[in-house]
Amino acid sequence: MPVGTQATIKGLTPDQLHATGTRMLLANTYHLALRPGERVVAAIGGLHTFMGWEGPILTDSGGFQVFSLSARNRVTDQGVTFRSHLDGRLLELTPEHATTIQEQLGADVAMCLDHCPALPASKTAIADAVERTIAWAKRCKAAHTRTDQALFGIVQGGSHADLRAQCAEELLALDFDGYAVGGVSVGEERAEVREALAVTTHLLPVERPRYLMGVGRPQDILDAVATGIDLFDCVMPTRNGRNATCFTEKGYVKLRNAAHRSDPGPIEEGCDCLACRRFSRAYVRHLFMAKEMLGPILASIHNLTFLHRFTSKIRAAIAVGQFVQFRLDVLEALGQ
Amino acid sequence: MPVGTQATIKGLTPDQLHATGTRMLLANTYHLALRPGERVVAAIGGLHTFMGWEGPILTDSGGFQVFSLSARNRVTDQGVTFRSHLDGRLLELTPEHATTIQEQLGADVAMCLDHCPALPASKTAIADAVERTIAWAKRCKAAHTRTDQALFGIVQGGSHADLRAQCAEELLALDFDGYAVGGVSVGEERAEVREALAVTTHLLPVERPRYLMGVGRPQDILDAVATGIDLFDCVMPTRNGRNATCFTEKGYVKLRNAAHRSDPGPIEEGCDCLACRRFSRAYVRHLFMAKEMLGPILASIHNLTFLHRFTSKIRAAIAVGQFVQFRLDVLEALGQ
């Protein structure tokens, strides 16, 4: 899922987004609750109508942004109080509130409010966050009324197998529609992400979607799929795109490099995205040097197309029992 | 013609641009000569290939930007010396140079380098600019070698009927493929533009394209068409769009206004552009408030579609002999 923080994947129309292979996207509850407000979105008919996207949408709970973006946030068992990063207003986010806002936004999948502590954290702090995450998940489940909206639980616990197991066990008892692995990709190294996944994914039911939040590098996706993860979201394809960095099977291409100045070739040979079919590296580089919007747009289109092609190759490799070899080949080509 | 200053109509792909009704566009020689340089564009195969636009392209001579954007420009009979607004390099633009650069860029229509004095100017200064414009037009014609590229002359002379007539007569003797009315819309009031047109357009041959440079407001287009103008370029639809101001048949709509906060209606009722078919004013307003690229993109798409629909209505009205009434109706609806 690409990330449409403010109900738009930056610079792309829904048709352009669909053409990249995108079928589901994520929008951020925190940002949308602050602006334009969930009531405005509901008045227009919900997120799908508001942003013109007919495919599935997932909203996060808002918790991650409260912890990372807002000023002076304070966590109690009741919820989180924080100041808006836009205007400094003092606000409170509780499990009930997070659930109601997401029902008003009207995405297809809502997420429970979880407590995602800043890392590194002591095991005691992480255990504390796990307890709170479980208590909050119960309250989200109780507050959730829309039958046309799925609700996913989020497993916390860092890289501690016992805490992850405790969290998963309690969440499974609540019978969520899907489960997410939270608290990874917030600054850890690849090895730590792998460790957290190794002790978590297998605890989650294979017949429900298993979702790794905030991960999107090809090598990390491969690691996660190897443990059984089905669903990802990440800002990287679009954020990297806006910074003129493009994914290719051979690694990153930095489009601002002078080497591309007169290069008539596409961003990636053989890619069928709009950017690669119609434009040269020389042109896309020119757009970035001239600070033209079309540069970020074309690079985002390429990166999203690349990642969707990549995950579709993963599905094909799994289907024919070749995933292990596929993974090795990809990592070798990337030099990972 | 929308204006693609840096070989891109800001934020729009060629397909999106074509869908607005755009069939021809303008690119700025000054900007492209400075960055990426005409040699880079030529190496990629010319502007059409470079920017992925198959329709006709017109390049201006670069003169207008030299006079308006560069620092410390100095005009002699030889040409203009100026410092680049990007890096301060000292450069010279002569009629021969302007012609060669445009041949390298490879547009379908090139423009002669003219001398467009800053207004207000004395009649003596304008007469001086007319002499220079005629002399430079001769040198452009002599330097022009591409047979697959049209070359247009530019009539200067302010609102002085005698100077306009002198300029037009000398240019007509040079037999250009088309003629432009220059030196308007650089700060004058509507009445002054009308005066310049009244003494100029009728001097130009009806069987060649007659082009009014830099004009794009509906009321100004109507004034110009009434005198016989066929072709326009203007940054307004896209620049206004980026500033959240949209054209409608009833005048401007400012999308940032709080009145649109929860408005489920389109920018303009009955408009078939992508923005109006798929999105509410509430959503487009949200995009502008959140500083999202898609806001400028959608507003630009609407404004371009509006203007192309408008000029197509003008053509239809002319075809049935109803232009005078059509003009009155439009001006009344606009409150002009």
Side-chain angles (χ1 to χ4, degrees):
Chain A
M1 297 181 288
V3 177
T5 296
Q6 306 195 102
T8 165
I9 307 292
K10 293 188 191 304
L12 272 61
T13 65
D15 289 344
Q16 288 175 323
L17 190 60
H18 191 266
T20 66
T22 299
R23 295 296 175 265
M24 182 171 187
L25 57 81
L26 179 146
N28 286 129
T29 292
Y30 170 86
H31 289 89
L32 293 172
L34 292 184
R35 184 176 56 196
E38 65 277 13
R39 285 184 193 84
V40 168
V41 175
I44 302 300
L47 262 182
H48 293 85
T49 306
F50 188 61
M51 64 186 294
W53 179 253
E54 291 168 11
I57 303 176
L58 180 148
T59 43
D60 60 8
S61 67
F64 183 75
Q65 280 74 30
V66 166
F67 293 117
S68 59
L69 281 185
S70 72
R72 284 181 281 177
N73 65 69
R74 201 168 62 84
V75 186
T76 67
D77 288 342
Q78 173 58 20
V80 202
T81 56
F82 64 99
R83 291 196 180 272
S84 156
H85 77 291
L86 292 180
D87 58 11
R89 268 185 301 165
L90 187 66
L91 296 164
E92 183 176 33
L93 188 67
T94 66
E96 291 77 14
H97 195 203
T99 307
T100 308
I101 296 173
Q102 290 183 83
E103 290 196 342
Q104 291 234 282
L105 293 175
D108 305 275
V109 181
M111 301 297 298
C112 288
L113 183 66
D114 59 332
H115 184 189
C116 180
L119 297 180
S122 67
K123 188 168 181 183
T124 315
I126 294 177
D128 200 46
V130 163
E131 289 294 349
R132 196 167 283 119
T133 293
I134 294 165
W136 287 1
K138 285 178 188 162
R139 287 164 58 191
C140 288
K141 177 91 182 175
H144 193 248
T145 61
R146 275 186 84 145
T147 53
D148 61 346
Q149 183 181 62
L151 181 65
F152 284 14
I154 303 175
V155 181
Q156 290 288 349
S159 12
H160 305 287
D162 54 342
L163 296 180
R164 290 277 182 184
Q166 178 204 344
C167 194
E169 191 179 336
E170 300 253 21
L171 292 181
L172 286 173
L174 293 170
D175 191 28
F176 285 105
D177 301 303
Y179 296 90
V181 182
V184 300
S185 188
V186 284
E188 309 92 331
E189 290 302 305
R190 184 173 163 215
E192 291 177 68
V193 176
R194 290 166 74 161
E195 204 175 326
L197 285 170
V199 299
T200 313
T201 315
H202 72 94
L203 302 168
L204 304 174
V206 294
E207 70 279 8
R208 304 276 165 96
R210 294 183 286 185
Y211 164 30
L212 179 58
M213 302 176 82
V215 163
R217 288 190 306 178
Q219 58 270 36
D220 297 330
I221 289 177
L222 289 170
D223 290 347
V225 166
T227 72
I229 293 291
D230 305 299
L231 188 60
F232 301 87
D233 80 272
C234 196
V235 296
M236 205 184 308
T238 45
R239 181 175 290 167
N240 279 0
R242 291 198 302 284
N243 292 325
T245 300
C246 281
F247 292 117
T248 76
E249 288 189 4
K250 293 170 187 164
Y252 294 116
V253 169
K254 292 182 181 294
L255 289 169
R256 282 204 185 84
N257 280 356
H260 310 306
R261 187 158 190 266
S262 303
D263 188 341
I267 296 171
E268 182 167 27
E269 210 63 61
C271 175
D272 65 347
C273 83
L274 172 70
C276 291
R277 273 187 291 117
R278 298 278 293 271
F279 304 102
S280 58
R281 287 188 181 192
Y283 181 63
V284 187
R285 175 179 190 270
H286 162 66
L287 295 172
F288 276 105
M289 301 310 285
K291 299 189 171 55
E292 285 284 352
M293 278 189 273
L294 194 57
I297 291 168
L298 292 178
S300 295
I301 285 175
H302 171 76
N303 282 349
L304 288 172
T305 304
F306 175 90
L307 271 184
H308 290 307
R309 185 168 54 230
F310 178 67
T311 51
S312 115
K313 282 181 182 172
I314 290 177
R315 288 191 291 274
I318 291 172
V320 296
Q322 297 288 333
F323 175 73
V324 172
Q325 187 58 47
F326 174 82
R327 181 185 181 193
L328 290 173
D329 293 345
V330 169
L331 292 176
E332 189 184 332
L334 289 174
Q336 292 290 325
Chain B
M1 299 179 287
V3 178
T5 296
Q6 306 193 103
T8 165
I9 307 291
K10 293 189 189 303
L12 273 61
T13 66
D15 289 345
Q16 289 175 323
L17 190 60
H18 191 267
T20 66
T22 299
R23 295 295 174 268
M24 183 170 186
L25 57 81
L26 180 147
N28 287 128
T29 293
Y30 170 86
H31 289 90
L32 293 172
L34 292 184
R35 183 175 58 195
E38 65 276 12
R39 285 186 191 82
V40 167
V41 175
I44 302 301
L47 262 182
H48 293 86
T49 305
F50 189 60
M51 66 186 291
W53 180 253
E54 291 169 12
I57 302 175
L58 180 148
T59 43
D60 60 7
S61 68
F64 184 76
Q65 281 74 31
V66 165
F67 293 116
S68 60
L69 280 185
S70 71
R72 284 181 281 177
N73 63 70
R74 201 168 62 86
V75 186
T76 65
D77 289 341
Q78 172 60 22
V80 202
T81 56
F82 63 99
R83 291 197 180 272
S84 156
H85 77 291
L86 292 180
D87 57 11
R89 268 184 301 165
L90 187 66
L91 297 164
E92 183 177 33
L93 188 66
T94 65
E96 292 75 16
H97 194 203
T99 306
T100 308
I101 296 173
Q102 290 183 83
E103 290 196 341
Q104 292 234 283
L105 293 174
D108 304 275
V109 181
M111 301 298 297
C112 287
L113 182 66
D114 60 332
H115 184 190
C116 180
L119 297 181
S122 67
K123 187 168 179 182
T124 315
I126 295 177
D128 200 48
V130 163
E131 290 294 348
R132 196 168 282 120
T133 294
I134 294 165
W136 286 1
K138 286 178 189 163
R139 286 164 57 191
C140 287
K141 178 89 182 176
H144 193 248
T145 62
R146 275 186 84 145
T147 53
D148 61 346
Q149 183 181 61
L151 181 64
F152 284 15
I154 303 175
V155 181
Q156 290 288 348
S159 11
H160 305 288
D162 54 341
L163 296 180
R164 288 280 181 185
Q166 178 203 344
C167 195
E169 192 178 336
E170 300 252 22
L171 293 181
L172 286 173
L174 294 170
D175 191 28
F176 285 106
D177 301 304
Y179 296 89
V181 182
V184 301
S185 186
V186 283
E188 308 92 332
E189 289 304 303
R190 186 175 160 213
E192 291 178 70
V193 176
R194 290 165 74 162
E195 205 175 327
L197 285 171
V199 300
T200 313
T201 315
H202 72 94
L203 303 167
L204 305 174
V206 293
E207 70 277 10
R208 303 277 164 95
R210 295 183 287 184
Y211 163 32
L212 178 58
M213 303 177 80
V215 162
R217 289 189 307 177
Q219 58 269 38
D220 297 330
I221 289 178
L222 289 170
D223 290 346
V225 166
T227 71
I229 292 291
D230 305 299
L231 189 59
F232 301 87
D233 80 272
C234 196
V235 295
M236 205 183 310
T238 45
R239 182 176 291 166
N240 278 1
R242 292 198 302 282
N243 291 326
T245 300
C246 281
F247 292 117
T248 77
E249 288 190 2
K250 294 170 186 163
Y252 294 117
V253 169
K254 292 181 179 296
L255 289 168
R256 284 203 183 86
N257 280 356
H260 310 306
R261 187 158 191 267
S262 302
D263 189 340
I267 295 172
E268 182 167 28
E269 210 63 61
C271 175
D272 65 347
C273 83
L274 173 71
C276 290
R277 273 187 290 117
R278 299 279 294 269
F279 304 102
S280 58
R281 287 187 182 194
Y283 181 62
V284 186
R285 176 179 190 270
H286 160 68
L287 294 173
F288 275 104
M289 301 310 285
K291 298 188 172 61
E292 284 283 353
M293 276 190 275
L294 194 57
I297 291 168
L298 293 177
S300 296
I301 285 176
H302 171 77
N303 282 350
L304 289 172
T305 305
F306 174 90
L307 271 185
H308 290 307
R309 185 166 56 229
F310 178 67
T311 50
S312 114
K313 283 180 182 173
I314 290 178
R315 288 191 290 273
I318 291 171
V320 297
Q322 297 288 334
F323 175 71
V324 172
Q325 187 59 47
F326 174 81
R327 183 187 181 192
L328 291 172
D329 294 345
V330 169
L331 292 176
E332 188 185 331
L334 289 174
Q336 290 292 325

